[in-house]
Amino acid sequence: MSRTSRAHPVSVARRSYLLEIGDVVQMDNKDRHGNKVPDGVWDHTMIVTGKKGSELLMSYHSKNTRNDPLSSIRARNPNARFIGWHIHDNY
Protein backbone atom coordinates (compact mmCIF):
# COMPACT_ATOMS: atom_id res chain seq x y z
CA MET A 1 0.00 0.00 0.00
CA SER A 2 2.96 2.29 0.50
CA ARG A 3 3.54 2.28 -3.27
CA THR A 4 0.07 3.41 -4.28
CA SER A 5 -1.91 6.61 -4.04
CA ARG A 6 -4.96 4.65 -2.82
CA ALA A 7 -4.05 4.81 0.86
CA HIS A 8 -1.82 6.72 3.25
CA PRO A 9 -0.14 5.54 6.46
CA VAL A 10 -1.48 6.51 9.87
CA SER A 11 0.39 6.18 13.15
CA VAL A 12 -1.64 3.79 15.29
CA ALA A 13 0.16 4.97 18.44
CA ARG A 14 -0.54 8.68 17.90
CA ARG A 15 -3.31 9.13 15.32
CA SER A 16 -5.56 6.07 15.30
CA TYR A 17 -8.56 8.42 15.53
CA LEU A 18 -8.00 9.13 11.81
CA LEU A 19 -8.83 5.53 10.88
CA GLU A 20 -12.33 4.69 9.76
CA ILE A 21 -14.41 1.59 9.17
CA GLY A 22 -12.92 -0.24 6.18
CA ASP A 23 -9.36 0.94 6.85
CA VAL A 24 -6.52 -1.49 7.49
CA VAL A 25 -4.15 -2.02 10.43
CA GLN A 26 -1.04 -4.17 10.10
CA MET A 27 1.03 -5.67 12.89
CA ASP A 28 4.67 -6.78 12.99
CA ASN A 29 4.89 -9.04 16.01
CA LYS A 30 7.29 -11.85 15.18
CA ASP A 31 10.45 -12.70 13.33
CA ARG A 32 10.80 -15.35 10.62
CA HIS A 33 11.38 -18.02 13.27
CA GLY A 34 8.12 -17.24 15.08
CA ASN A 35 9.78 -15.45 18.00
CA LYS A 36 7.72 -12.57 19.40
CA VAL A 37 10.19 -9.98 18.12
CA PRO A 38 9.31 -7.47 15.37
CA ASP A 39 11.54 -7.85 12.31
CA GLY A 40 10.23 -5.22 9.90
CA VAL A 41 7.84 -7.58 8.09
CA TRP A 42 4.11 -6.99 8.55
CA ASP A 43 2.89 -10.38 9.80
CA HIS A 44 -0.81 -9.73 10.30
CA THR A 45 -3.46 -7.59 8.62
CA MET A 46 -6.76 -6.54 10.20
CA ILE A 47 -9.74 -4.51 9.02
CA VAL A 48 -11.41 -1.77 11.06
CA THR A 49 -14.98 -3.06 11.30
CA GLY A 50 -16.36 -0.81 13.99
CA LYS A 51 -15.79 1.96 16.50
CA LYS A 52 -16.92 2.16 20.08
CA GLY A 53 -16.23 5.69 21.23
CA SER A 54 -12.57 6.23 20.38
CA GLU A 55 -11.85 2.47 20.38
CA LEU A 56 -11.23 0.79 17.03
CA LEU A 57 -12.78 -2.65 16.61
CA MET A 58 -10.75 -5.01 14.43
CA SER A 59 -11.77 -8.12 12.52
CA TYR A 60 -9.41 -10.66 11.01
CA HIS A 61 -9.34 -14.19 9.65
CA SER A 62 -7.18 -15.70 12.42
CA LYS A 63 -9.58 -17.60 14.66
CA ASN A 64 -12.43 -15.91 12.73
CA THR A 65 -12.18 -12.91 15.04
CA ARG A 66 -14.73 -10.12 14.80
CA ASN A 67 -14.68 -6.71 16.52
CA ASP A 68 -11.65 -7.31 18.74
CA PRO A 69 -10.70 -3.97 20.38
CA LEU A 70 -7.37 -2.67 19.08
CA SER A 71 -6.35 -1.79 22.64
CA SER A 72 -6.71 -5.48 23.59
CA ILE A 73 -4.64 -6.58 20.60
CA ARG A 74 -1.93 -4.10 21.56
CA ALA A 75 -2.01 -5.26 25.21
CA ARG A 76 -1.57 -8.90 24.11
CA ASN A 77 1.36 -7.91 21.86
CA PRO A 78 3.35 -5.33 23.85
CA ASN A 79 6.46 -5.59 21.65
CA ALA A 80 4.62 -5.40 18.33
CA ARG A 81 4.76 -2.55 15.85
CA PHE A 82 1.54 -1.32 14.24
CA ILE A 83 0.74 0.77 11.18
CA GLY A 84 -2.66 1.93 10.00
CA TRP A 85 -3.70 2.59 6.42
CA HIS A 86 -6.49 5.03 5.62
CA ILE A 87 -8.01 3.91 2.33
CA HIS A 88 -8.95 6.88 0.18
CA ASP A 89 -12.57 7.12 -0.92
CA ASN A 90 -11.58 8.36 -4.37
CA TYR A 91 -8.47 7.57 -6.34
Side-chain angles (χ1 to χ4, degrees), residues 18-90:
L18 294 175
L19 295 172
E20 300 174 2
I21 293 172
D23 287 342
V24 173
V25 173
Q26 292 183 296
M27 177 173 64
D28 174 14
N29 70 330
K30 60 185 175 183
D31 65 14
R32 64 187 177 113
H33 304 291
N35 300 312
K36 295 262 181 179
V37 178
D39 65 354
V41 176
W42 301 110
D43 307 303
H44 188 60
T45 301
M46 304 166 278
I47 306 294
V48 179
T49 51
K51 284 187 162 186
K52 189 173 187 180
S54 62
E55 179 71 71
L56 295 177
L57 303 177
M58 311 305 301
S59 294
Y60 46 93
H61 184 64
S62 305
K63 301 178 185 175
N64 294 323
T65 303
R66 184 174 174 203
N67 293 332
D68 191 5
L70 182 58
S71 61
S72 297
I73 297 167
R74 293 181 73 193
R76 291 192 305 269
N77 298 278
N79 296 322
R81 293 177 45 225
F82 292 85
I83 187 169
W85 294 96
H86 174 66
I87 309 300
H88 299 168
D89 294 332
N90 301 324

Side-chain angles (χ1 to χ4, degrees), residues 1-12 14-16 18-19 23-24 26 42 82-88:
M1 289 210 270
S2 63
R3 295 183 186 132
T4 175
S5 62
R6 297 179 178 175
H8 68 268
V10 174
S11 169
V12 171
R14 293 185 306 269
R15 303 186 87 191
S16 64
L18 294 175
L19 295 172
D23 287 342
V24 173
Q26 292 183 296
W42 301 110
F82 292 85
I83 187 169
W85 294 96
H86 174 66
I87 309 300
H88 299 168

